[in-house]
Amino acid sequence: MSDRLFVATRKGLFEFRKASSNWDVARTSFLGSPVTQVIRDPRDGALYATLDLGHFGVKLHRSEDGGANWKEIAVPSYAGVDADAKDPPSLKLLWVLEPGGADQPGLLWAGTIPGGLFISRDRGESWSLIISLWNDPRRKLWFGGGYDYPGIHSISVDPRDSNCLAVGASCGGVWETKDLGQNWTLGGKGMRAAYLPPEQAGTPETQDPHRLVRCPNAPDRFWVQHHNGIFRGLDGVATWEEIHAPHSGFGFGVAVHPRQPDTAWFVPAVKDEFRYPENGKLKVARTDDAGRSFKYFTKGLPQDHAYDLIYRHGLVIDQTGEGLAMGSTTGGLWFSEDGGESWDGASARLPPIYALHFA
Amino acid sequence: MPLISFTTHLQSVGPDEPKRYCGRTLGEVLEAVARDFPRLPGYLFDDQGQLRKHLAIFVDGAMQPRDQALSCPLTDDSEVHIFQALSGG
């Protein structure tokens, strides 16, 4: 299992290290500032952390030394985009960062609120809006879900071809490009939106996939935790099968096993108008057979008045497929080394957790 | 030259004490400050060039409407304070 986890929270960035059997805080960065996302670029070891400073805007920092020192670098900008519009776009949140492929050193992707996808070819020193997606008339039908504007929260590079990218947006559906963002295919057939009039429930460009993940070892196989349930991608992002779990299908996070596409994890919550664990008991769901059945695990998780919600970037899996981590809106942080069947909680009382990243 | 001071929240990217800069308007003064502190504009303005909405700008004791603040005329004796609005959490 990975022995290092970065935790992005409402009050800073925390690096956890595993020593013997305990996970402890090894380093803090940006204490007091909201850190909304953190990644380690496996190609060069650089760390990237995104900050939402509220009054003073969104910032991006890079560390070349494992988090000891950080340098502020450029953020995606909407300067000059739709400048004549009544409400011209402006960066509200840098929601997701992903490195490009192994053969694309220095290339980064960023998804933002409002719903723009950006590319950097120089390790975040400069960014360009993927204008083909921004100007797509179907993109203009996107709307915000939970935020005032829509946003891109999931980006997945195809490990077979780094020019191929899948993207998930709330509420904007699932999209795919095969040419580094020049042309786009809108997927999502089979998804269902109960928050729209019945005749529009299947409209692909207004679906709300809360989180989209791809199985690295079976790159055409995807899972989505959607606003209206769990969906399994059968052939890339084009066609989806709705999965009916025995307990609530509502949630935000989803993780897929790196080598077994039929194995995925979810953290169910009472559906959208309430958003807390059923009966105040936190549990993790796992399917090992592509959604035909689910097992629910509670060992080590709070079962007495627990109101932890796991955000979309708050459930992660490591490369072994056995190690998972989960962070909650009330600052709970748990680790599992047995595929989610049992969990150990961190002793630290953390701020609300936005995102986790194994490194 | 007008005297400008910034909230302590901006001291890592701007002047850490009140400082005089040339300018006939607040916009000109901020441009002058930015030449010394190039990261500062990203904290004061959004990517459409608008003053961030949670800034509170006072010129000679009077809070300035955000949409007119940059054109606010200044004298050599003017004192400018840039604060952040209060918020929770």
Side-chain angles (χ1 to χ4, degrees), chain A residues 142-167:
Chain A
W142 296 7
F143 56 81
Y147 291 92
D148 290 342
Y149 301 92
I152 292 174
H153 48 64
S154 298
I155 299 169
S156 174
V157 176
D158 190 330
R160 299 166 299 191
D161 181 349
S162 302
N163 291 332
C164 297
L165 202 70
V167 163

Side-chain angles (χ1 to χ4, degrees), chain A residues 242-256:
Chain A
E242 184 168 4
I243 303 296
H244 298 281
H247 290 273
S248 170
F250 184 84
F252 287 90
V254 50
V256 60

Side-chain angles (χ1 to χ4, degrees), chain A residues 251-280:
Chain A
F252 287 90
V254 50
V256 60
H257 194 286
R259 293 176 304 283
Q260 301 166 17
D262 290 346
T263 298
W265 291 260
F266 305 84
V267 189
V270 180
K271 75 178 184 68
D272 49 349
E273 57 266 50
F274 297 112
R275 308 180 181 205
Y276 60 87
E278 289 175 307
N279 302 312

Side-chain angles (χ1 to χ4, degrees), chain A residues 92 94 152 177 217 263 290 343:
Chain A
K92 308 296 184 195
L94 212 174
I152 292 174
T177 176
N217 203 42
T263 298
W343 297 81

Side-chain angles (χ1 to χ4, degrees), chain A residues 8 13 29-30 35-39 47-51 59-63 70-71 73 94 97:
Chain A
L13 176 65
S29 303
F30 310 110
V35 180
T36 55
Q37 191 59 262
V38 56
I39 64 165
L47 297 174
Y48 295 85
T50 68
L51 277 61
K59 311 299 174 195
L60 177 60
H61 290 251
R62 186 180 65 222
S63 174
W70 295 88
K71 175 192 175 191
I73 55 178
L94 212 174
L97 271 178

Side-chain angles (χ1 to χ4, degrees), chain A residues 10-11 53 55-57 59 72 77-79 81 88-91, chain B residues 9-10 39 42-43 46-48 52 54-55 84-85 87-89:
Chain A
R10 175 83 172 77
K11 296 289 182 184
L53 297 185
H55 296 56
F56 305 119
K59 311 299 174 195
E72 186 177 336
S77 169
Y78 287 89
V81 178
S90 175
L91 181 64
Chain B
H9 293 249
L10 291 172
R39 286 172 62 195
Y43 288 66
D46 69 18
D47 41 358
Q48 292 290 357
R52 294 194 182 278
H54 295 303
L55 292 177
Q84 83 283 2
S87 70

Side-chain angles (χ1 to χ4, degrees), chain A residues 217-238:
Chain A
N217 203 42
D220 288 328
R221 299 283 300 281
F222 285 82
W223 288 89
V224 154
Q225 173 63 71
H226 185 285
H227 191 93
N228 289 120
I230 294 168
F231 291 83
R232 185 169 75 101
L234 306 174
D235 53 359
V237 302

